[in-house]
Amino acid sequence: MEALVEDLDHTTIYRQNQNYSEESDGEGGLGNLNRLIVRPPGHSGKAKRGHLCFDAAFECGNLGRADHVTELEYDLYLRPDTCRPRARFWFNFTVENVKQDQKVIFNIVNFGKEYTLYDKDMTPLVRSTSRQKWQRIPKRLLFYHKSLVHRGRKILSLAFGFDREEDVYQFAAAAPYSYSRLQKYLAIWEKRAQGFGTRETIAQTTQKRQVDLITIGDINAKDSDDKEEILAKGKCSETKKRVVIIIARSHGGEPPASYICQGLLDYFVSSAENACALRDHIVIQVVPMLNPDGVFLGNQRSDLLGSDLNRCWIRATGFAHPSLVALKEHIRKISAEKVRFMSKKLPFERHAVLPKFLAMRVEAWQGENCLYNAEASLAGSARRALPTGAVDAYTLTVSMGGRRIHPNGPYIHYTEDAYAKVGRALVKALCDYYRHVGVVPVRICAPGKKEARGRRRRRRAAYERERSCSWSPERRVLAARVLSPALPPATPPLRALPPRPARLPRPRPTHARDNPPPAVTGTAVRTPRLAVVDLSAFIRTPEPTQQNKFTRSGIRAAHSKRHSRARAFTSDEYDTHESDS
């Protein structure tokens, strides 16, 4: 499916006059800048080319304030989440009215946390109206440091140069995925999934945005074809299809979850063998965006009322969390109708199977970071609140920056295609898991063909063999080379060796302890101790004569009387000198 790319045209959520150049009042835009032109101090009148215009009054935008420091430097302040002032990490804004070859430094000064992904190798993204593809800003132009001017806080300094005057430049912490883009994608996906996929609305948010539920397969259909075969093996005793529920985008500032979900849905409507097997034997239900209000407003973690939806599962209310209440009721109905087969294995062994299959599909999977625990701080999360006797819950965490395949390898940033690849790998891992437990039948090859195992060596063509230096027509008629002489027909019998003569005992050497020296008798004499004296302190240069005292050589000799101080090494020189200790 052709990827949907959002246009970078100015789509303000206020629908006001384009010449409006003041900061938003905080009512409709909730604190975002609305086409604010930052002028130098003392300047009045019409804005000139080079007076930057900042705008974040669009979907998923976030920028609350912009200050002019110098002609080259600007301080930018992120807008906190609505009703949640400590959540400040996501930013997404545009810059226009630039000058040709204008160079600037943007300082983002109010991150909510001191330790972020910018401590590592993550860099922001940038694109323009003439270059729609997101590009990573080079690491050499990024500085994450403590600034004394900003009261010792860690700030992100970004150096950038504008090369085209007519372009509008957009900067973001990650590639945004808006609510409008999701609605356009689902309208196209619904047409492709006719026959096995449905779309419905299970709830409406506080701002009247719909929460969609995608269902792939018939939840009430029975597996009559494979039921007898599965029961004969003794692996399962359920009467209905198993259900897998995938929830994405609980937090607005985590757009990688939407790209993974889109890659997952694209793979389900494809003709791949794993996708067809899951559609026939498993029911997949996907909630592609659980927090539409937070995504639309450009919040990092919260919704409109300041609630973190991944911490409110145990105290959800219909007024503040309508999407959570509707989804919990939906899961309760499914759990009540189904009779799930309980494995005799330990819970940890059962829960660790799916991550093992996912590790074989995802290249950058880090199995040592998997946690199978019950943390008290995550009591309100979906992973802790949803699991019951019939539900197993997992949380898949993907970085917004990148990954390292090896500890000392290069840092590879994630792209939109890389996130979609993770979604496809998740579908394949689910298929492997349900084949392992016996729900999905094992893959059967076509008759007369063998399943490919590993990599087969390609047979070279005749013209390639003739060009080989080891190939010749005479080589085939030559006799086989004898690599070693032929063995004798019979091995002669072994003769017995003569008996070994007994060894004579060696003479015992005489030691000093056998003949001790005579005892020494007499009166003890007290010897004086020796003192270690630095002889260099007594070595002096000869005194110059009286007549040569004021000559050049006499002055040079007089200067030599000064005591030379010990040379002090710098920190760099000291590190390069090895000490004997």
mmCIF file of all heavy atoms in Angstrom, residues 8 27 47 62 85 104-105 117 120 126 128 135 142-143 145 147 179 200 229 286 410 417 427 441 445 449 537 556:
data_model
loop_
_atom_site.group_PDB
_atom_site.id
_atom_site.type_symbol
_atom_site.label_atom_id
_atom_site.label_comp_id
_atom_site.label_asym_id
_atom_site.label_seq_id
_atom_site.Cartn_x
_atom_site.Cartn_y
_atom_site.Cartn_z
ATOM 1 N N LEU A 8 2.860 19.540 4.195
ATOM 2 C CA LEU A 8 3.417 20.475 5.160
ATOM 3 C C LEU A 8 2.765 21.838 5.041
ATOM 4 O O LEU A 8 3.259 22.814 5.571
ATOM 5 C CB LEU A 8 4.932 20.581 4.956
ATOM 6 C CG LEU A 8 5.734 21.209 6.082
ATOM 7 C CD1 LEU A 8 5.541 20.450 7.366
ATOM 8 C CD2 LEU A 8 7.200 21.274 5.735
ATOM 9 N N GLU A 27 -6.524 29.385 24.932
ATOM 10 C CA GLU A 27 -7.889 28.882 25.012
ATOM 11 C C GLU A 27 -8.121 27.756 24.007
ATOM 12 O O GLU A 27 -8.309 26.622 24.379
ATOM 13 C CB GLU A 27 -8.872 30.035 24.759
ATOM 14 C CG GLU A 27 -10.333 29.631 24.728
ATOM 15 C CD GLU A 27 -10.832 29.211 26.092
ATOM 16 O OE1 GLU A 27 -10.199 29.590 27.075
ATOM 17 O OE2 GLU A 27 -11.856 28.522 26.142
ATOM 18 N N ALA A 47 7.677 42.930 9.237
ATOM 19 C CA ALA A 47 8.774 41.988 9.424
ATOM 20 C C ALA A 47 9.579 41.863 8.141
ATOM 21 O O ALA A 47 9.038 41.826 7.034
ATOM 22 C CB ALA A 47 8.238 40.623 9.840
ATOM 23 N N ASN A 62 3.682 21.259 18.826
ATOM 24 C CA ASN A 62 4.018 21.585 20.214
ATOM 25 C C ASN A 62 5.193 22.552 20.217
ATOM 26 O O ASN A 62 6.314 22.188 19.875
ATOM 27 C CB ASN A 62 4.368 20.327 21.010
ATOM 28 C CG ASN A 62 4.541 20.609 22.490
ATOM 29 O OD1 ASN A 62 5.287 21.482 22.896
ATOM 30 N ND2 ASN A 62 3.849 19.848 23.315
ATOM 31 N N PRO A 85 1.945 19.484 33.918
ATOM 32 C CA PRO A 85 3.051 20.388 33.582
ATOM 33 C C PRO A 85 4.417 19.734 33.521
ATOM 34 O O PRO A 85 5.349 20.326 32.959
ATOM 35 C CB PRO A 85 3.003 21.426 34.711
ATOM 36 C CG PRO A 85 2.338 20.739 35.844
ATOM 37 C CD PRO A 85 1.361 19.788 35.236
ATOM 38 N N VAL A 104 21.316 29.520 12.127
ATOM 39 C CA VAL A 104 20.725 29.801 13.432
ATOM 40 C C VAL A 104 21.113 28.697 14.402
ATOM 41 O O VAL A 104 21.581 27.613 14.015
ATOM 42 C CB VAL A 104 19.189 29.911 13.346
ATOM 43 C CG1 VAL A 104 18.765 31.069 12.484
ATOM 44 C CG2 VAL A 104 18.590 28.602 12.827
ATOM 45 N N ILE A 105 20.888 28.975 15.697
ATOM 46 C CA ILE A 105 21.052 28.010 16.774
ATOM 47 C C ILE A 105 19.768 28.030 17.597
ATOM 48 O O ILE A 105 19.383 29.072 18.133
ATOM 49 C CB ILE A 105 22.265 28.335 17.664
ATOM 50 C CG1 ILE A 105 23.561 28.267 16.856
ATOM 51 C CG2 ILE A 105 22.338 27.379 18.851
ATOM 52 C CD1 ILE A 105 24.788 28.658 17.648
ATOM 53 N N LEU A 117 17.003 10.614 25.533
ATOM 54 C CA LEU A 117 17.681 9.902 24.454
ATOM 55 C C LEU A 117 18.737 10.757 23.759
ATOM 56 O O LEU A 117 19.585 10.220 23.047
ATOM 57 C CB LEU A 117 16.651 9.429 23.424
ATOM 58 C CG LEU A 117 15.690 8.330 23.900
ATOM 59 C CD1 LEU A 117 14.646 8.053 22.827
ATOM 60 C CD2 LEU A 117 16.448 7.063 24.229
ATOM 61 N N LYS A 120 22.415 9.969 24.307
ATOM 62 C CA LYS A 120 23.039 8.942 23.483
ATOM 63 C C LYS A 120 23.316 9.526 22.099
ATOM 64 O O LYS A 120 23.942 10.565 21.977
ATOM 65 C CB LYS A 120 22.137 7.711 23.408
ATOM 66 C CG LYS A 120 21.776 7.155 24.779
ATOM 67 C CD LYS A 120 22.995 6.708 25.558
ATOM 68 C CE LYS A 120 22.616 6.107 26.899
ATOM 69 N NZ LYS A 120 23.786 5.692 27.697
ATOM 70 N N VAL A 126 14.018 16.731 10.465
ATOM 71 C CA VAL A 126 13.696 17.970 9.771
ATOM 72 C C VAL A 126 13.269 17.625 8.347
ATOM 73 O O VAL A 126 13.737 16.639 7.757
ATOM 74 C CB VAL A 126 14.911 18.938 9.757
ATOM 75 C CG1 VAL A 126 16.076 18.337 8.996
ATOM 76 C CG2 VAL A 126 14.513 20.293 9.201
ATOM 77 N N SER A 128 11.206 19.871 4.703
ATOM 78 C CA SER A 128 10.715 21.143 4.165
ATOM 79 C C SER A 128 9.657 20.860 3.115
ATOM 80 O O SER A 128 9.413 19.710 2.744
ATOM 81 C CB SER A 128 11.870 21.968 3.581
ATOM 82 O OG SER A 128 12.441 21.317 2.466
ATOM 83 N N GLN A 135 14.495 13.715 7.452
ATOM 84 C CA GLN A 135 15.932 13.478 7.495
ATOM 85 C C GLN A 135 16.440 13.755 8.907
ATOM 86 O O GLN A 135 15.986 14.683 9.581
ATOM 87 C CB GLN A 135 16.672 14.373 6.492
ATOM 88 C CG GLN A 135 16.245 14.180 5.051
ATOM 89 C CD GLN A 135 16.990 15.096 4.102
ATOM 90 O OE1 GLN A 135 18.045 15.628 4.446
ATOM 91 N NE2 GLN A 135 16.444 15.291 2.916
ATOM 92 N N LEU A 142 24.550 18.838 16.875
ATOM 93 C CA LEU A 142 23.679 18.727 18.032
ATOM 94 C C LEU A 142 24.523 18.724 19.299
ATOM 95 O O LEU A 142 25.559 18.046 19.360
ATOM 96 C CB LEU A 142 22.863 17.434 17.947
ATOM 97 C CG LEU A 142 21.563 17.383 18.738
ATOM 98 C CD1 LEU A 142 20.541 18.302 18.127
ATOM 99 C CD2 LEU A 142 21.036 15.956 18.774
ATOM 100 N N PHE A 143 24.079 19.483 20.306
ATOM 101 C CA PHE A 143 24.814 19.581 21.565
ATOM 102 C C PHE A 143 23.796 19.530 22.708
ATOM 103 O O PHE A 143 22.932 20.403 22.817
ATOM 104 C CB PHE A 143 25.624 20.885 21.637
ATOM 105 C CG PHE A 143 26.516 21.106 20.449
ATOM 106 C CD1 PHE A 143 26.074 21.863 19.370
ATOM 107 C CD2 PHE A 143 27.772 20.550 20.396
ATOM 108 C CE1 PHE A 143 26.876 22.069 18.269
ATOM 109 C CE2 PHE A 143 28.588 20.742 19.293
ATOM 110 C CZ PHE A 143 28.142 21.501 18.236
ATOM 111 N N HIS A 145 23.794 19.696 26.599
ATOM 112 C CA HIS A 145 24.762 20.096 27.607
ATOM 113 C C HIS A 145 24.065 20.898 28.696
ATOM 114 O O HIS A 145 22.912 21.331 28.554
ATOM 115 C CB HIS A 145 25.863 20.952 26.970
ATOM 116 C CG HIS A 145 25.348 22.201 26.316
ATOM 117 N ND1 HIS A 145 25.368 23.434 26.914
ATOM 118 C CD2 HIS A 145 24.762 22.408 25.089
ATOM 119 C CE1 HIS A 145 24.849 24.336 26.107
ATOM 120 N NE2 HIS A 145 24.468 23.739 25.000
ATOM 121 N N SER A 147 23.738 24.277 30.730
ATOM 122 C CA SER A 147 23.956 25.688 30.429
ATOM 123 C C SER A 147 23.876 26.501 31.717
ATOM 124 O O SER A 147 22.864 26.454 32.435
ATOM 125 C CB SER A 147 22.911 26.181 29.425
ATOM 126 O OG SER A 147 23.021 27.563 29.214
ATOM 127 N N TYR A 179 -3.913 12.051 13.939
ATOM 128 C CA TYR A 179 -5.223 11.399 13.972
ATOM 129 C C TYR A 179 -5.891 11.447 12.594
ATOM 130 O O TYR A 179 -6.536 10.479 12.172
ATOM 131 C CB TYR A 179 -6.094 12.076 15.024
ATOM 132 C CG TYR A 179 -7.531 11.629 15.037
ATOM 133 C CD1 TYR A 179 -7.900 10.405 15.581
ATOM 134 C CD2 TYR A 179 -8.528 12.445 14.504
ATOM 135 C CE1 TYR A 179 -9.222 10.002 15.603
ATOM 136 C CE2 TYR A 179 -9.854 12.046 14.524
ATOM 137 C CZ TYR A 179 -10.194 10.830 15.066
ATOM 138 O OH TYR A 179 -11.511 10.427 15.076
ATOM 139 N N GLU A 200 -15.170 -0.657 13.506
ATOM 140 C CA GLU A 200 -16.263 -0.125 14.302
ATOM 141 C C GLU A 200 -15.719 0.883 15.309
ATOM 142 O O GLU A 200 -14.518 0.926 15.579
ATOM 143 C CB GLU A 200 -16.992 -1.255 15.033
ATOM 144 C CG GLU A 200 -16.112 -2.067 15.953
ATOM 145 C CD GLU A 200 -16.885 -3.153 16.665
ATOM 146 O OE1 GLU A 200 -18.058 -2.881 17.021
ATOM 147 O OE2 GLU A 200 -16.325 -4.251 16.869
ATOM 148 N N GLU A 229 -8.581 -32.662 14.765
ATOM 149 C CA GLU A 229 -7.149 -32.962 14.702
ATOM 150 C C GLU A 229 -6.406 -32.410 15.904
ATOM 151 O O GLU A 229 -5.528 -33.054 16.468
ATOM 152 C CB GLU A 229 -6.568 -32.384 13.408
ATOM 153 C CG GLU A 229 -5.079 -32.630 13.260
ATOM 154 C CD GLU A 229 -4.540 -31.980 12.002
ATOM 155 O OE1 GLU A 229 -5.340 -31.422 11.227
ATOM 156 O OE2 GLU A 229 -3.313 -32.020 11.800
ATOM 157 N N VAL A 286 -7.526 -4.849 16.783
ATOM 158 C CA VAL A 286 -6.523 -3.794 16.895
ATOM 159 C C VAL A 286 -7.218 -2.485 17.238
ATOM 160 O O VAL A 286 -8.203 -2.108 16.594
ATOM 161 C CB VAL A 286 -5.714 -3.648 15.584
ATOM 162 C CG1 VAL A 286 -4.612 -2.600 15.748
ATOM 163 C CG2 VAL A 286 -5.116 -4.981 15.169
ATOM 164 N N PRO A 410 27.821 0.464 14.949
ATOM 165 C CA PRO A 410 27.299 1.809 14.668
ATOM 166 C C PRO A 410 25.866 1.965 15.147
ATOM 167 O O PRO A 410 25.116 0.992 15.277
ATOM 168 C CB PRO A 410 27.399 1.905 13.140
ATOM 169 C CG PRO A 410 27.308 0.488 12.674
ATOM 170 C CD PRO A 410 27.983 -0.344 13.726
ATOM 171 N N ASP A 417 9.931 2.968 7.597
ATOM 172 C CA ASP A 417 9.929 1.600 7.067
ATOM 173 C C ASP A 417 10.448 0.600 8.097
ATOM 174 O O ASP A 417 9.973 -0.544 8.150
ATOM 175 C CB ASP A 417 10.781 1.537 5.797
ATOM 176 C CG ASP A 417 10.206 2.381 4.675
ATOM 177 O OD1 ASP A 417 8.983 2.621 4.689
ATOM 178 O OD2 ASP A 417 10.979 2.801 3.788
ATOM 179 N N VAL A 427 3.581 -10.007 13.530
ATOM 180 C CA VAL A 427 2.608 -10.945 12.977
ATOM 181 C C VAL A 427 3.242 -12.312 12.750
ATOM 182 O O VAL A 427 2.650 -13.359 13.071
ATOM 183 C CB VAL A 427 2.020 -10.390 11.665
ATOM 184 C CG1 VAL A 427 1.007 -11.362 11.084
ATOM 185 C CG2 VAL A 427 1.372 -9.039 11.903
ATOM 186 N N PRO A 441 -2.262 -24.915 12.243
ATOM 187 C CA PRO A 441 -1.609 -26.142 11.765
ATOM 188 C C PRO A 441 -0.233 -25.869 11.215
ATOM 189 O O PRO A 441 0.081 -24.774 10.744
ATOM 190 C CB PRO A 441 -2.574 -26.649 10.675
ATOM 191 C CG PRO A 441 -3.338 -25.442 10.256
ATOM 192 C CD PRO A 441 -3.468 -24.582 11.465
ATOM 193 N N CYS A 445 3.986 -28.428 2.790
ATOM 194 C CA CYS A 445 4.465 -28.046 1.462
ATOM 195 C C CYS A 445 3.626 -28.727 0.392
ATOM 196 O O CYS A 445 2.913 -29.704 0.630
ATOM 197 C CB CYS A 445 5.936 -28.434 1.304
ATOM 198 S SG CYS A 445 7.006 -27.610 2.478
ATOM 199 N N LYS A 449 7.315 -31.469 -3.732
ATOM 200 C CA LYS A 449 8.320 -30.452 -3.464
ATOM 201 C C LYS A 449 8.771 -30.588 -2.017
ATOM 202 O O LYS A 449 7.991 -30.914 -1.128
ATOM 203 C CB LYS A 449 7.752 -29.045 -3.694
ATOM 204 C CG LYS A 449 7.415 -28.760 -5.146
ATOM 205 C CD LYS A 449 6.965 -27.311 -5.314
ATOM 206 C CE LYS A 449 6.640 -27.014 -6.769
ATOM 207 N NZ LYS A 449 6.202 -25.605 -6.945
ATOM 208 N N ALA A 537 72.680 17.090 46.876
ATOM 209 C CA ALA A 537 72.582 18.368 47.570
ATOM 210 C C ALA A 537 73.940 18.962 47.889
ATOM 211 O O ALA A 537 74.055 20.137 48.187
ATOM 212 C CB ALA A 537 71.794 18.191 48.865
ATOM 213 N N ARG A 556 76.495 33.766 33.577
ATOM 214 C CA ARG A 556 75.822 32.503 33.258
ATOM 215 C C ARG A 556 76.018 31.494 34.375
ATOM 216 O O ARG A 556 75.131 30.727 34.715
ATOM 217 C CB ARG A 556 76.364 31.963 31.936
ATOM 218 C CG ARG A 556 75.628 30.734 31.449
ATOM 219 C CD ARG A 556 76.176 30.251 30.121
ATOM 220 N NE ARG A 556 76.035 31.254 29.076
ATOM 221 C CZ ARG A 556 77.074 31.915 28.535
ATOM 222 N NH1 ARG A 556 78.296 31.677 28.956
ATOM 223 N NH2 ARG A 556 76.883 32.799 27.589
#
